[in-house]
Amino acid sequence: MVAKRIIPCLDVKDGRTVKGVNFVGLRDVGDAVELGAEYARQGADELVYLDISATVEGRGTFVNLVRRISERINIPFTVGGGISSLDDAARLLDAGADKISINSAAVRNPSLIDQIAGKYGSQFVVLAVDAKKVNGSDHGVGTTGGEVADRGVEERWQITTHGGRQMTDMELFSWVREGQERGAGEILLTSMDHDGTKAGYPCELFARLSEVLTIPIIASGGAGSAEDIAAVLSEGRADAALAASIFHYGEMTVGQLKSRLRQMGIDVRV
């Protein structure tokens, strides 16, 4: 059995790490390079850096930051945020990133997954997915009235873009299957209902996802304790857990978390 991975996530704005709840109310929590280096020292398996202010003006700043990260940090790291073309991906990979995470741009142009995977390989492509839970009776986008009525109040997970602010008509399970078929090497799924709340992950959702995918699944959104992470790695059958708040605010170190997980019978890398 492959050991489970623990991956601190650093949302970056203008070179600084920030954190909020449901992607709003952002607070500065430290220098992105220094914080990443500290997590690597503590035993993180990988890091994820997301440029949440990825504008045309800010793109060069983020590329320079990626170069600094690659010079300082000796564990794999993924970068994402505002990547909308093969050229965008190429600049970040050339700057030293190990993987590219794409999200909204892939929803707009699914062939972007094929393009990056075709040039660099599936192992370089992480498809990030932000999903919200909706009730069938309350959401009729892309369906007929009869279909909605048949579902009643059945839960449906819908794809969102732009940090969860825009709802699409894409259904979660169909989209991740398509992403896998197009060449994504991993799925990074964030429940927008849980992100930053520290109320735990939707483990049933991740377990269902593991039944329809063969590529690794990274769970994101809701880690508040070691027990939450243990649950999504065992009951949720996720291959890795992404967490931010519990590390950024000093509630526990990566090493302390791994020690707790081992005590609970979770196989994690030493």
Side-chain angles (χ1 to χ4, degrees):
M1 179 181 293
V2 178
K4 306 290 188 177
R5 291 170 288 154
I6 301 300
I7 307 176
C9 179
L10 300 91
D11 291 338
V12 177
K13 183 176 183 181
D14 302 323
R16 301 287 294 180
T17 305
V18 296
K19 186 59 186 169
V21 177
N22 301 128
F23 283 61
V24 296
L26 299 176
R27 294 169 53 187
D28 187 303
V29 293
D31 178 79
V33 179
E34 295 302 321
L35 203 52
E38 173 61 19
Y39 293 151
R41 187 192 66 77
Q42 292 177 9
D45 298 300
E46 299 178 21
L47 299 171
V48 169
Y49 285 91
L50 299 178
D51 182 5
I52 65 170
S53 59
T55 62
V56 173
E57 293 79 11
R59 175 56 63 196
T61 300
F62 191 59
V63 171
N64 290 333
L65 175 65
V66 170
R67 290 195 184 98
R68 290 173 52 212
I69 294 167
S70 68
E71 292 169 358
R72 181 73 187 277
I73 292 172
N74 61 359
I75 61 174
F77 69 97
T78 300
V79 296
I83 298 169
S84 59
S85 69
L86 183 59
D87 288 343
D88 288 341
R91 277 192 288 272
L92 293 165
L93 288 169
D94 290 345
D98 295 281
K99 303 176 190 177
I100 291 297
S101 171
I102 52 177
N103 190 333
S104 297
V107 173
R108 293 192 302 271
N109 175 25
S111 66
L112 182 61
I113 303 171
D114 306 74
Q115 293 170 24
I116 301 175
K119 183 172 178 63
Y120 293 103
S122 293
Q123 71 272 24
F124 289 95
V125 185
V126 178
L127 178 60
V129 178
D130 296 337
K132 276 182 175 287
K133 183 170 63 176
V134 296
N135 289 333
S137 60
D138 295 334
H139 192 77
V141 177
T143 64
T144 66
E147 289 171 334
V148 172
D150 288 344
R151 284 202 309 268
V153 293
E154 176 190 349
E155 292 178 353
R156 176 180 170 90
W157 287 85
Q158 208 81 6
I159 300 301
T160 68
T161 61
H162 300 82
R165 293 186 296 275
Q166 294 187 20
M167 187 74 76
T168 75
D169 63 354
M170 300 172 67
E171 191 272 332
L172 170 61
F173 291 91
S174 297
W175 174 230
V176 296
R177 279 193 294 263
E178 180 178 348
Q180 176 177 267
E181 291 166 1
R182 287 181 176 274
E186 292 182 280
I187 297 294
L188 167 55
L189 174 61
T190 300
S191 165
M192 299 305 298
D193 303 294
H194 296 75
D195 181 72
T197 64
K198 299 167 63 176
Y201 301 86
C203 292
E204 183 180 346
L205 172 65
F206 284 99
R208 287 174 57 199
L209 206 64
S210 72
E211 295 175 358
V212 302
L213 295 175
T214 58
I215 57 177
I217 300 165
I218 304 170
S220 171
S225 67
E227 287 74 18
D228 291 337
I229 292 174
V232 81
L233 294 176
S234 55
E235 299 165 28
R237 298 166 59 187
D239 299 276
L242 200 76
S245 298
I246 61 173
F247 299 136
H248 295 341
Y249 299 143
E251 295 173 26
M252 68 179 72
T253 67
V254 177
Q256 289 170 340
L257 171 60
K258 285 190 167 185
S259 178
R260 292 278 301 281
L261 292 174
R262 283 193 291 271
Q263 291 171 6
M264 289 184 276
I266 306 295
D267 182 16
V268 291
R269 299 175 184 179
V270 177

